[in-house]
Amino acid sequence: MRTLISTAFISLDGVVEGPGGEPGYRNSGWTFKDVEFLPEAFEIKGREQQEATAMLLGRASYEAFSQVWPGMADFADYKVMPKYVVSTTLTEDDLVSNWGETTILRSLDEVAALKQTEGGPIIVHGSATLNQALSDAGLVDRYHLLVFPLLLGAGKRLFSTTDKDAQKLTLVEHEVYPNGLQKQVFDVVH
């Protein structure tokens, strides 16, 4: 079974919305405006590209990333990686032609089936709504979190507010940086 990894820039109060400057969010760009940049804190992002063998995205994140990432050298490894987009509304005509193989999945059952195939880790970037659904369905196996020392208040959150049984996590990697950023890698106990 393949490992499904959720990776996120997240504020201390759980917000994941608008980390890179996306329009329409009050605190957009919070990852670079309010915290000193330390390259060593972002080492995990390069490692993710090397270790992942596929990318899973929600529709909104696909539409945003597919307009920018295909031409960025920083994300070159993702260009050739198979991508899966979970959407009930996206069509084949909506897919970009310059970002490699992309498959549309219509349900969480299809994501569960993808996890049963042969291959390495599947990485989930952005996709707050999808992440919540994946977590609630017990499909996430690992979290790669870069926790920023900020309280953002309102905004899309990584975790849902669904009333459910507690889910245990095991801390497998952790580092704190001088700028207050924390790397936290958790395995989900299934």
Side-chain angles (χ1 to χ4, degrees):
M1 185 162 86
R2 298 173 82 169
T3 302
L4 187 65
I5 301 169
S6 170
T7 183
F9 294 143
I10 187 168
S11 68
L12 190 59
D13 58 347
V15 175
V16 294
E17 186 170 356
E22 299 81 358
Y25 176 61
R26 177 183 181 173
N27 292 311
S28 188
W30 50 270
T31 59
F32 60 85
K33 288 194 304 191
D34 299 315
V35 178
E36 175 191 1
F37 178 75
L38 295 177
E40 61 271 24
F42 296 88
E43 170 275 335
I44 194 168
K45 304 317 283 177
R47 188 170 13 130
E48 288 170 349
Q49 284 190 69
Q50 296 300 310
E51 295 174 357
T53 60
M55 186 186 311
L56 181 68
L57 299 162
R59 180 199 46 82
S61 291
Y62 173 80
E63 290 176 342
F65 295 157
S66 69
Q67 299 307 306
V68 180
W69 283 15
M72 293 180 68
D74 287 346
F75 301 110
D77 290 331
Y78 287 142
K79 186 169 184 171
V80 296
M81 187 179 294
K83 282 160 276 310
Y84 299 88
V85 183
V86 181
S87 173
T88 58
T89 59
L90 206 63
T91 67
E92 294 292 327
D93 290 339
D94 296 321
L95 301 177
V96 298
S97 61
N98 63 337
W99 205 22
E101 175 190 344
T102 304
T103 303
I104 300 171
L105 304 178
R106 298 293 182 197
S107 68
L108 292 181
D109 288 340
E110 290 185 37
V111 174
L114 174 63
K115 283 186 60 175
Q116 297 298 322
T117 62
E118 293 294 319
I122 303 165
I123 193 102
V124 183
H125 280 283
S127 309
T129 302
L130 175 60
N131 262 295
Q132 290 177 7
L134 293 168
S135 178
D136 287 350
L139 294 173
V140 176
D141 301 300
R142 176 174 274 198
Y143 290 98
H144 288 184
L145 305 177
L146 283 178
V147 182
F148 285 72
L150 300 168
L151 300 175
L152 298 174
K156 293 178 185 175
R157 290 179 159 29
L158 183 63
F159 301 103
S160 77
T161 57
T162 301
D163 186 13
K164 59 184 176 184
D165 291 337
Q167 186 172 46
K168 183 166 176 33
L169 306 175
T170 301
L171 183 66
V172 295
E173 187 178 341
H174 179 261
E175 193 157 350
V176 179
Y177 302 95
N179 62 357
L181 201 63
Q182 295 179 42
K183 173 176 58 180
Q184 299 176 0
V185 177
F186 292 99
D187 280 344
V188 177
V189 178
H190 291 290

